[in-house]
Amino acid sequence: MPSIADLSDEAIWTRMQSAWWLGKQDVAITKFESLLEARLADQGLQPPKSYKDDRVAWEIVEILGAHFREMLRERLQQSPFYGIMADETTDNSVEQ
């Protein structure tokens, strides 16, 4: 199996964008390989031979999630103020 070092920057970035898009749009992660193949073809790159399965897509989503969570944590720590909003909702029986 080729190593990650064998992939171009464009191929790696396309994998990251594809996994992010699937998660953001709430599309089944099982569509990762076909989306990746189409996006790489659009860029004139070879079809994926490695790092193209659902497991890879989930790992990318988890890494991106951890990164954004850390960015949010840092922003909250720098803020002198924070707020908590509570909203009353009703259940199906319309009881508060």
Side-chain angles (χ1 to χ4, degrees):
M1 174 183 227
S3 72
I4 194 76
D6 296 332
L7 298 175
S8 68
D9 289 345
E10 292 84 11
I12 294 169
W13 185 241
T14 300
R15 283 165 170 78
M16 291 171 62
Q17 288 177 320
S18 297
W20 174 81
W21 186 85
L22 290 171
K24 182 176 180 262
Q25 297 298 319
D26 199 23
V27 175
I29 208 78
T30 57
K31 302 293 185 189
F32 179 69
E33 185 174 355
S34 62
L35 176 61
L36 179 61
E37 187 173 317
R39 295 191 70 202
L40 289 172
D42 285 346
Q43 296 175 23
L45 299 171
Q46 295 296 318
K49 293 182 178 148
S50 60
Y51 301 102
K52 61 181 183 176
D53 61 10
D54 305 354
R55 181 187 53 79
V56 170
W58 273 119
E59 287 179 13
I60 293 170
V61 169
E62 289 173 359
I63 290 167
L64 290 172
H67 174 73
F68 289 126
R69 208 172 13 258
E70 179 64 21
M71 286 177 57
L72 177 60
R73 186 185 64 75
E74 289 173 2
R75 286 182 69 185
L76 289 173
Q77 285 180 335
Q78 293 173 2
S79 176
F81 305 102
Y82 69 93
I84 299 174
M85 182 170 31
D87 184 18
E88 180 182 325
T89 60
T90 56
D91 61 14
N92 289 341
S93 66
V94 193
E95 295 177 14
Q96 292 186 356

